Amino acid sequence: EDCSGCAYTIRARTHTARETKKMDKQNVHAVTPSLTAEEACSIVKRYYGWDVDASEVKSLPSYEDQNFRLHPKGHSDEYVFKITRSDASEDVLRMQNNAMDFINDRIGEKLCPTVQRTLEGETLFTVECSARGERTTHFARAVTFMKGSIMAHATKHSSVFEFNFGRFIGRLDSVLQRFCSKAAQERELKYWDLKYATPVAALTHCIRDEKRRAIVDRIFKTYQEEVLPRLQHLRQSVIHNDANDFNVLVRENDEMRPLVGPSDIVAIIDFGDMVHTYTICELAIGCAYAAQRKIDPLRSAAHIVAGYHSQMPLLEPELELLYDLMRVRVAVSVTMSATSQIASPDNPYLAVSEEPGWRLLERLEPVHRNCAHYLFRQACGFDAHPDTVPLKRVLQRHLRADNGVIAPVVDIDFRHMKAEDQKRVYVFDLDQRGDSALFDGSVAEESSPKDTHTMQREFFAEIENAGAEVGIGRYNENRDIYRGSAFHDHTSAEAEIPFYDMEPIDSRVVHIGLDVFLEPLRPVFAVVRGKVHSFANNAKKYDYGPCIILEHTLDGVDFYTLYGHLSVASLEGLYVGKVVEAGDKIGEIGAYPENGDWPTHLHFQVLLDMLGLHGDFPGVVRRTQRSMWLDLCPDPNLLLGIPEEWLGIYNKTWRAVKLGDDGMSKEAIEHFRRDRLSSALSISYDTPLQIYRGFMQYLFDENGREYLDCVNNVCHVGHCNPRVTRTISMQASLLATNTRYLHDYIVTYADKIVRTMRGGDLSVCFFVCSGTEANDLACRLARAYTGKKGMICVEGGYHGHSSRVIEVSPYKFNGSGGEGVQPHVIAVSTPDTYRGKHRRPDPEAGKKYAQEVAQAAEELNARGDGVAAFFCESVLSCAGQIVLPPGYLSHAYESVRSAGGVCIADEVQVGFARVGSAYWGYQLQSVIPDIVTLGKPIGNGFPMAAVVTTPAIARAFENGMEYFNTFGGNTLACAVGSTVMDVIFDNALQPKARKTGDYLLQELQKLQDKYSLIGDVRGVGLFVGIELVRDRETLEPAAKEAHWLVNEMKEEGVLLSTDGPLKNVIKMKPPLVFTCENADTVVLLLDKCLAAMPALE
């Protein structure tokens, strides 16, 4: 059969040796097949019996073969018809077919394509073609088309996904290690088998960029000198050999959705490079490609390594070479791309991964190979450095022996101090100083950078005030005071090569040395016999200044000690290799600014590897790499001997968090929550956060990642607001007692609250401990005053969790586990002008909704229960962030009072200036309640609440039964509450809430115009709701989309939550220190996430 001059025949049998030799002879000059879609359809019709419409056939990219995607009529599956280049080996192709079947059979899942058999039962056949007068023979076969999107196009890789990608290829290799193939063992895959990478080094002249060529030349030099001699001792097996991000498939149609779990990985394809080689090469190749387009490629690689190790345990010699092999694979890729582009400049497939590969090599260029090795060891559960434990044992043994091997580092010997000497040593707590912005770039809005003279005075004043003679800055301390640019990674994402990390690079804040604060010129001594390794004057601001590093060997273990912030004179007379004895003076503590411009102190550090550095070494590291650095730089106190109990539990606590040595990992916390706490206590987000610190509008997790908190209306003036925390500390150290004693705080605080409730007769305060308690007391006050029992509440309302207030909380009594409405309670419709019965722009909506309140009052009186109170939030929260329509409360209050009841305004959620244009939410409606309840923001996180009412109602409550609250109104609570109000006034947070809230609503409304999913944007001040709907006509709630969006925003570093009876409202109630810049961040990320949202069923 002739098709456009290309004749072909089909042979469904194995070739004889004679035929194979003939093919080898004719394919000296390999030919790439060039069938048309029509020809391919004719072949599969004849060979497989498939009817395929040629117009629907798609050509797929390939390096050297030809691939067609087919969908035969009547078949549910699609297939790939593959025609090889003319020099393809039959044995290798059959090996690939057998391997795919072996993997699928052993795993029990279709993790790779399934080879199809012909009508004659064969898996491989040949096509003889003639073009331009030359006849060539090509192998052909068909495999199932694996549905999914290529991993390279998935723009979000979470750490969980990276772990599971490693787990996937580890699982693949654990199966393939039992797969035997002579063809794989005999195959010499030039260039692409990493054991044959040497010839590629001769091709680097094809790389035009000199700087990039130099990078690759260095990689190949290390490969030849350091890797090849040790590679031959590693284990070998058959591997896929090309687990790059174009050969791994992820879940289809979700390319922009963050990849988070094992179910997102669908399959691996393209077994064309399968070979028997060193097993570790599989992981190196996977890391080499998955780490591309990452801000922190080694972090991603470490996640992959951990996942791989969970399925295919790695050996320590393999980990030693993994980083080098990873870089070699990328070097091979970019070099071959450069050579191939010269030969075939019009083939875009050849350059498919070149630029991301170059970016990866450039980011890895400064990384010492040992550093990567230690990270990978730690990811597998090994000590990051093999000598970590041996060094600790050696130092502990000599410290206990007190045999003269170890000397004091300064002229104070901590080793021989007794309990009564503790007062001589002042231990700084630099982790908790969120209110001391020592450096530029602090997140503290109320702070400004301090000059070194001020810091020096403050540090040494603390030492003096404690009656001590020396100050100690602790090892392994999480110092959030390091907020300056010197401690940040300055990498920015290039627009043309966006980064796919879900987590940004965190700042360097973990202190891995130990500081000794003493006056300038105090002597510094060598702690152990050794020699000078290096020294330098690191003169930049906030660097070490003059620094000396000594090299030691003790009981066969090599290590280093670092002495930083010395005087310039300390470097005089030094030379590399100079021998020093334990106790020899090597320098003196430097004064500022020559010491790096710090308060005068010695930074002392122990190191196991200099990582190629001289005269300098990191003393502060990233939280996410804490475990590795703590192994590489053990506790310096192993040499100083300061009693551990003087230093506190900080070191052990943080080590436990990261390593699980003595304390709780995230998983352990979740386990103990299940065992020790009720399951009725919920936790936020699909993947819970472990939060360890808060400051202003930010929260920080256990790794120090920063989250913008947009939902915490409790920490009203900011998490750990410095003024509030100082008040707590000062008052708690002075007096914290109950209301049975006279004290001015309670009356001045009550007066301060009353003065904000302008008009009416609200003038009597009761102080309690929670919003629930306040609302419970409000119910008692209403019934005492009216003598009635009946209550009117609003659908969706929530007022607390005591039995009495659950009765007026439809959010609870109509929800799961609720008992429904009680006979003496009537719940009226939510005055929702978006999806309720009376909608915008009806100007009478408020009055119409209020008519239900009047009807409820009439009904309660008719029943004989009477009306005790109408209970309503001033702005509805759990009902979906509903702003009451104009006139609603005025008409409702009038009806209730006419029926003999009182009106209770629940300000627990919205009070204290949150609404911006008023101090209290009820003031937006131009009404004056009879009772107002306060809670949540009142103490900025301190447990307190209040009720404010009229003298007449208060007198009705004075029936002979004493009202006493053990903690309500205590002196500490009143001091805190008063300070919160002062912060609101002094920092103009009310007008700021209005300005920022208006701006936020304006920007969110722009998003509403862009995305039909956003049905409504509503709110007032910094109390905002975004209602998501699937259809703007039917208002079908988009609850799943809201849930997805909240979790997605969390991954982006913004904390939101859902609310409303339909769970489709995104709520925003941030601390009042939230800024317009924060609003921009939220809107930008919402836009990004909404654009990436998948279809949810």
Side-chain angles (χ1 to χ4, degrees), residues 901-918:
V902 298
C903 301
I904 303 174
D906 183 342
E907 293 276 341
V908 169
Q909 296 267 14
V910 299
F912 291 96
R914 174 164 295 281
V915 296
S917 51

Side-chain angles (χ1 to χ4, degrees), residues 452-453 455 540-543 591-599:
T452 310
H453 178 74
M455 290 192 289
K540 289 183 179 179
K541 188 178 181 66
Y542 298 148
D543 209 326
Y592 63 86
E594 71 174 356
N595 69 347
D597 207 14
W598 295 85

Side-chain angles (χ1 to χ4, degrees), residues 819-836:
E819 298 179 353
V821 65
Q822 297 298 306
H824 60 278
V825 176
I826 295 179
V828 299
S829 298
T830 304
D832 182 354
T833 57
Y834 175 66
R835 67 166 58 244

Side-chain angles (χ1 to χ4, degrees), residues 628-640:
M628 187 272 287
W629 287 106
L630 293 185
D631 280 354
L632 187 59
C633 300
D635 189 349
N637 200 40
L638 292 166
L639 285 165
L640 301 192

Side-chain angles (χ1 to χ4, degrees), residues 153-156 253-258 1044 1048 1088 1091-1093:
H153 290 170
T155 59
K156 284 291 193 68
N253 299 325
D254 296 277
E255 292 181 347
M256 297 296 290
R257 181 178 58 80
W1044 181 91
E1048 178 74 348
K1088 177 182 178 182
M1093 182 177 287

Side-chain angles (χ1 to χ4, degrees), residues 788 790-793 824-828 850-870 891-903:
K788 307 297 183 181
M791 303 292 286
I792 304 171
C793 57
H824 60 278
V825 176
I826 295 179
V828 299
Q851 288 173 357
E852 288 192 36
V853 179
Q855 294 165 4
E858 291 177 7
E859 185 176 342
L860 287 172
N861 279 332
R863 291 180 188 175
D865 292 315
V867 181
F870 170 51
H891 288 96
Y893 280 15
E894 181 181 357
S895 300
V896 170
R897 287 168 175 156
S898 297
V902 298
C903 301

